[in-house]
Amino acid sequence: MDTCKRCFTLSLVFFMVFFEDLGTNVHGFQGEEQIETTVEDFLDHSPHFTTTQGMYDVEEVADDDDDWQMVQAKGNQFVVNGQPFYVNGFNTYWLMVFAADQSTRGKVSELFQQASSVGLTVCRTWAFNDGQWRALQKSPSVYDEEVFKALDFVVSEAKKYKIRLILSLVNNWNAYGGKAQYVKWGNASGLNLTSDDEFFSHPALRSYYKSHVKAVLNRVNTFTNITYKNDPTIFAWELMNEPRCTSDPSGDTLQSWIAEMAAYVKSLDAKHMVEIGLEGFYGPSAPARTQFNPNSYATQVGTDFIRNHQALGVDFASVHIYADSWISPTISDAHLEFTKSWMEAHIEDAEKYLGMPVIFSEFGVSRKDPGYNSSYRDTLINTVYKTLLNSTKKGGSGAGSLLWQLFPDGTDYMDDGYAIVLAKSPSTSNLISLHSTRVAIFNSRCSWKCRWGCRKKNSLEKFLYRDDL
């Protein structure tokens, strides 16, 4: 279907769905005034699963494999099929491990179905488990085929629900192996390594990592028969989850690793985007920006937001937001102020210095924090969404966000305090759903530009950018 016609159809059916829901005659509206009234009514109804699901059903019907193309970075925006692609997404890191056990595999499908029902389009998850229980990589370049098939299932199932994946390739932390496991493997082979940070500098460990990258990118999915590096279901490759190299606060060691590994990934797969996985701390290359760091320690962990993202082969920037971990575990309005200023600083830098999109790829608040309540969580999510929309309406670099983290019901034993179970969190689900709707409409704005008059488009903009989410 012609892209513009497809967008027009999506937008028209979207309004028909909501007009019918509100008891409005879609053929009888007269000009801008009626549209504005309907949009106001729609916002007051705070739509959730049924209304948004109607719209996403349309896209399911309209889409076929020809439309399922790679997402690319173009300037400071993502695009797919010539359309903007702003992201509303989530994290669920343990999908591969759950898929490896038939008794829990259904939870993967359940999660994607629920995420799709509120319009989430990108999921970030682990494509690693090194030397641990249910390891993917049992030792360097030695893989458990059944666990690899579990990752195949995750990728194939994501496509069924039109959800794209950011696949992270190794952990900075010890969970699921991480750089510490690579050091253990190195010492087991006769090396004399004394620091986990030698993961970044020792040639043997760099080669271990490259071998893993090659194995994942060249994997042929046993469910779809599509090689990972050719699969549009994969949104991007993430070099590492939250890399830090505290042994070298100058940042030189980590910068060298990023430059080498980004180039290596691109040498194997020039089609997909690459991102680093950084938390976003400012470093020595931009001393004036360190004022935005949450604390003084953040300048000493060997990362450097602007410099790191200037490495060739890196397509977009990543930032995490954890005021409750970085500032104080007791939640307060100061956390909201930090979140807004932290985001605005990184959006500005992505525009001014990097010329690329930025995704806030982890954010959330823990129920374990003193002073926590669900209303505060909604306020935090609202702050993130509103800050992104403020960037969107100016054509800025704020390209999306990924909640940490979304869980299906019955997986509470995996909860780190941040889990959101949609069925148990109606107000949060409504908030996510409404933002997804706004993002989806913005992603199909071509219909408003080429088929609709400016007066009607202005009514849409009032819906997209109203402050009271």
Side-chain angles (χ1 to χ4, degrees):
M1 183 182 290
D2 174 76
T3 301
C4 207
K5 287 181 181 177
R6 179 169 138 346
C7 293
F8 175 69
T9 301
L10 176 61
S11 299
L12 181 59
V13 176
F14 163 75
F15 273 102
M16 289 178 69
V17 167
F18 286 118
F19 291 165
E20 288 175 4
D21 228 38
L22 298 170
T24 304
N25 183 350
V26 70
H27 302 293
F29 67 82
Q30 299 292 325
E32 182 178 2
E33 293 77 10
Q34 181 64 42
I35 292 178
E36 286 186 350
T37 301
T38 307
V39 170
E40 296 292 327
D41 289 345
F42 158 61
L43 283 165
D44 290 340
H45 277 71
S46 187
H48 185 35
F49 293 102
T50 53
T51 49
T52 51
Q53 186 62 47
M55 187 185 71
Y56 296 114
D57 282 346
V58 172
E59 191 155 16
E60 284 279 351
V61 172
D63 275 342
D64 57 28
D65 284 345
D66 291 336
D67 292 319
W68 192 241
Q69 302 295 324
M70 299 279 184
V71 180
Q72 299 293 335
K74 183 178 181 180
N76 63 354
Q77 294 181 321
F78 296 124
V79 295
V80 61
N81 290 334
Q83 291 286 107
F85 188 82
Y86 288 91
V87 171
N88 193 23
F90 64 102
N91 289 266
T92 308
Y93 67 88
W94 42 254
L95 294 176
M96 178 179 66
V97 169
F98 266 53
D101 186 332
Q102 291 295 333
S103 70
T104 54
R105 176 170 286 194
K107 291 296 179 184
V108 175
S109 305
E110 185 180 329
L111 176 77
F112 285 145
Q113 186 278 324
Q114 292 174 0
S116 177
S117 76
V118 292
L120 296 171
T121 57
V122 175
C123 171
R124 177 171 169 264
T125 194
W126 296 169
F128 63 82
N129 187 11
D130 303 311
Q132 309 291 299
W133 175 72
R134 281 195 188 140
L136 172 63
Q137 188 177 197
K138 297 189 289 187
S139 58
S141 299
V142 177
Y143 292 88
D144 186 321
E145 177 62 17
E146 293 307 307
V147 179
F148 234 144
K149 287 179 179 177
L151 185 58
D152 294 344
F153 176 81
V154 172
V155 176
S156 66
E157 204 69 1
K159 183 185 178 184
K160 288 182 185 178
Y161 291 97
K162 300 300 181 188
I163 291 174
R164 300 176 191 266
L165 300 174
I166 295 176
L167 294 182
S168 189
L169 295 165
V170 73
N171 205 357
N172 181 74
W173 313 108
N174 293 350
Y176 288 64
K179 65 185 182 184
Q181 181 61 63
Y182 279 75
V183 169
K184 289 177 183 177
W185 285 335
N187 283 330
S189 71
L191 302 178
N192 185 24
L193 307 172
T194 58
S195 166
D196 288 349
D197 282 350
E198 291 188 74
F199 168 86
F200 298 111
S201 58
H202 198 284
L205 303 193
R206 288 192 180 201
S207 70
Y208 290 170
Y209 175 80
K210 285 182 176 179
S211 295
H212 176 61
V213 169
K214 186 175 182 180
V216 174
L217 271 60
N218 287 327
R219 171 74 176 180
V220 177
N221 192 309
T222 54
F223 289 86
T224 66
N225 205 35
I226 300 172
T227 306
Y228 280 31
K229 66 183 179 183
N230 295 326
D231 193 341
T233 308
I234 295 167
F235 181 86
W237 303 111
E238 179 176 279
L239 298 181
M240 187 178 208
N241 173 50
E242 299 187 335
R244 294 185 183 185
C245 186
T246 55
S247 62
D248 182 9
S250 76
D252 290 345
T253 298
L254 184 57
Q255 182 70 17
S256 172
W257 185 85
I258 291 168
E260 180 176 339
M261 298 313 168
Y264 181 71
V265 172
K266 286 292 189 179
S267 74
L268 297 176
D269 177 5
K271 299 176 183 177
H272 282 101
M273 296 182 292
V274 171
E275 55 104 351
I276 301 167
L278 290 172
E279 296 158 282
F281 302 134
Y282 291 101
S285 77
R289 305 302 277 173
T290 58
Q291 63 176 307
F292 294 103
N293 281 345
N295 51 53
S296 58
Y297 178 70
T299 63
Q300 302 297 313
V301 298
T303 67
D304 195 325
F305 175 75
I306 294 175
R307 182 190 181 196
N308 293 160
H309 284 108
Q310 289 172 330
L312 290 176
V314 177
D315 295 290
F316 65 92
S318 62
V319 181
H320 295 179
I321 314 171
Y322 287 114
D324 56 349
S325 295
W326 299 341
I327 297 175
S328 164
T330 302
I331 62 173
S332 68
D333 288 343
H335 290 194
L336 302 175
E337 294 164 8
F338 166 78
T339 295
K340 189 171 183 289
S341 64
W342 180 246
M343 291 180 69
E344 289 174 344
H346 287 84
I347 291 170
E348 179 184 345
D349 292 334
E351 294 167 4
K352 186 175 180 180
Y353 299 109
L354 303 176
M356 61 174 55
V358 57
I359 286 187
F360 297 90
S361 51
E362 288 190 23
F363 75 98
V365 60
S366 174
R367 283 188 306 280
K368 300 176 183 179
D369 294 337
Y372 171 87
N373 58 62
S374 61
S375 177
Y376 177 85
R377 181 174 71 185
D378 288 350
T379 302
L380 175 68
I381 295 171
N382 185 19
T383 299
V384 172
Y385 288 166
K386 284 172 62 176
T387 305
L388 285 168
L389 285 173
N390 286 337
S391 174
T392 300
K393 68 183 178 183
K394 296 181 290 188
S397 285
S401 60
L402 308 174
L403 283 159
W404 185 273
Q405 54 183 324
L406 202 66
F407 278 26
D409 201 7
T411 55
D412 305 56
Y413 58 95
M414 298 291 290
D415 185 6
D416 58 355
Y418 291 83
I420 297 172
V421 178
L422 294 176
K424 296 180 179 179
S425 310
S427 64
T428 305
S429 297
N430 284 336
L431 195 60
I432 295 168
S433 182
L434 180 54
H435 187 63
S436 293
T437 301
R438 284 177 160 146
V439 167
I441 295 173
F442 195 87
N443 287 346
S444 60
R445 273 172 64 104
C446 75
S447 62
W448 302 91
K449 292 179 180 177
C450 67
R451 301 284 182 170
W452 287 59
C454 291
R455 291 178 51 156
K456 296 184 180 71
K457 188 180 75 172
N458 290 339
S459 299
L460 171 67
E461 301 228 349
K462 289 182 181 180
F463 164 64
L464 283 170
Y465 304 125
R466 261 186 55 165
D467 283 341
D468 54 332
L469 293 176

